[in-house]
């Protein structure tokens, strides 16, 4: 009787597990169970950070898909914001008079282009020669904050993007070099007769892929 009485007193002294605020649990965030795939800009550039805030607000408060795409692209890394050349810009803006070309990236000059038509371009940046040639032709070089004032929903704009896969590194991605139907470039010291040009690359040396 004495031992059971002591046991009852001991149990009575314990806190109620339902009312206790110190119940053990799993830290979902630190444990890596709560995965939040949030695309946020890593850059310390204050102008870019303010633009991200502006277009995040516009994307949330308007139903415009244009603002959502701009907001997404502003938060991308540098390699996903490739530059667009003046020649590609002119080619994509043919028969689009009065519309504004929008590039979330830099606009660069192209010396192969001799005549630049009148263009209205909004971009994150311009090279000095590209800017001077556009302005000289009677065009405009706009910033994204001025575009937000002029066309908050993206009406009368043409959204363009530079070649994301144009980097030299992209040539080495894909099927392994030497595998049938592979167009992947191998990593070699230099290009020449002695470097990965024998078996598998010529019919005279066994077989050709």
């Amino acid at each position: 009787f004495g031992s059971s009485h002591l046991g009852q007193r001991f149990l009575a002294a314990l806190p109620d597990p339902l009312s206790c605020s110190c119940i053990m649990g799993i830290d979902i965030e630190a444990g890596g169970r709560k995965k939040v795939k949030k695309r946020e800009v890593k850059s310390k550039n204050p102008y870019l950070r303010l633009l991200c805030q502006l277009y995040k607000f516009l994307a949330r408060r308007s139903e415009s898909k244009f603002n959502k795409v701009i907001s997404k692209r502003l938060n991308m890394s540098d390699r996903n914001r490739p530059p667009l050349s003046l020649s590609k810009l002119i080619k994509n803006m043919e028969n689009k008079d009065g519309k504004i070309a929008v590039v979330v990236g830099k606009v660069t000059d192209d010396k192969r282009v001799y005549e630049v038509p009148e263009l209205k371009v909004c971009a994150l940046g311009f090279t000095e020669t590209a800017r001077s040639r556009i302005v000289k032709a009677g065009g405009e070089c706009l910033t994204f904050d001025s575009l937000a004032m002029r066309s908050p929903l993206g009406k009368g704009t043409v959204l363009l993007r530079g070649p994301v896969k144009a980097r030299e590194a992209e040539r080495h991605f894909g099927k392994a070099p030497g595998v049938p139907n592979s167009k992947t470039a191998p990593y070699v010291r230099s290009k020449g007769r002695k470097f990965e040009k024998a078996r598998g690359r010529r019919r005279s040396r066994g077989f050709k892929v």
Side-chain angles (χ1 to χ4, degrees), residues 64-182:
S64 168
K65 195 176 177 183
F66 172 84
N67 287 330
K68 286 177 174 61
V69 172
I70 295 290
S71 177
K72 190 170 96 172
R73 288 189 188 178
L74 284 170
N75 282 289
M76 284 182 177
S77 59
D78 275 353
R79 63 175 274 191
N80 288 311
R81 285 192 271 112
L84 186 70
S85 68
L86 199 57
S87 57
K88 292 281 183 189
L89 186 66
I90 293 164
K91 188 180 177 183
N92 285 306
M93 291 305 288
E94 282 178 4
N95 305 320
K96 293 185 177 76
D97 298 334
K99 294 205 171 186
I100 303 168
V102 181
V103 184
V104 184
K106 198 165 196 170
V107 173
T108 55
D109 187 27
D110 195 337
K111 291 178 181 177
R112 297 168 297 180
V113 177
Y114 297 113
E115 290 182 13
V116 179
E118 189 180 328
L119 295 167
K120 287 179 186 175
V121 190
C122 173
L124 280 177
F126 298 85
T127 59
E128 282 185 29
T129 45
R131 185 189 292 275
S132 62
R133 290 184 77 181
I134 291 166
V135 172
K136 193 177 178 181
E140 274 186 281
C141 295
L142 303 169
T143 55
F144 275 94
D145 48 337
S146 60
L147 179 72
M149 297 288 284
R150 193 178 290 194
S151 179
L153 298 177
K155 287 181 180 177
T157 59
V158 179
L159 190 56
L160 301 174
R161 198 176 186 188
V164 179
K165 302 281 184 182
R167 300 186 317 136
E168 198 278 331
E170 295 282 346
R171 293 178 63 240
H172 304 286
F173 301 156
K175 282 185 178 180
V179 171
N181 303 318
S182 168

Side-chain angles (χ1 to χ4, degrees), residues 5-83:
H5 181 64
L6 282 170
Q8 284 175 359
R9 285 180 67 188
F10 175 72
L11 288 170
L14 287 172
D16 183 12
L18 295 172
S19 64
C20 183
S21 60
C22 57
I23 299 169
M24 293 297 287
I26 299 167
D27 192 340
I28 294 169
E29 286 186 21
R33 297 192 184 193
K34 189 180 180 183
K35 293 184 176 72
V36 181
K37 291 183 180 178
K38 197 180 282 185
R39 184 187 273 113
E40 282 186 354
V41 69
K42 298 278 196 301
S43 173
K44 298 287 188 291
N45 184 350
Y47 172 68
L48 188 60
R49 284 187 166 274
L50 284 169
L51 283 182
C52 288
Q53 283 183 2
L54 170 66
Y55 274 91
K56 186 180 178 183
F57 171 80
L58 288 171
R60 192 178 74 245
R61 294 297 294 268
S62 68
E63 293 182 2
S64 168
K65 195 176 177 183
F66 172 84
N67 287 330
K68 286 177 174 61
V69 172
I70 295 290
S71 177
K72 190 170 96 172
R73 288 189 188 178
L74 284 170
N75 282 289
M76 284 182 177
S77 59
D78 275 353
R79 63 175 274 191
N80 288 311
R81 285 192 271 112

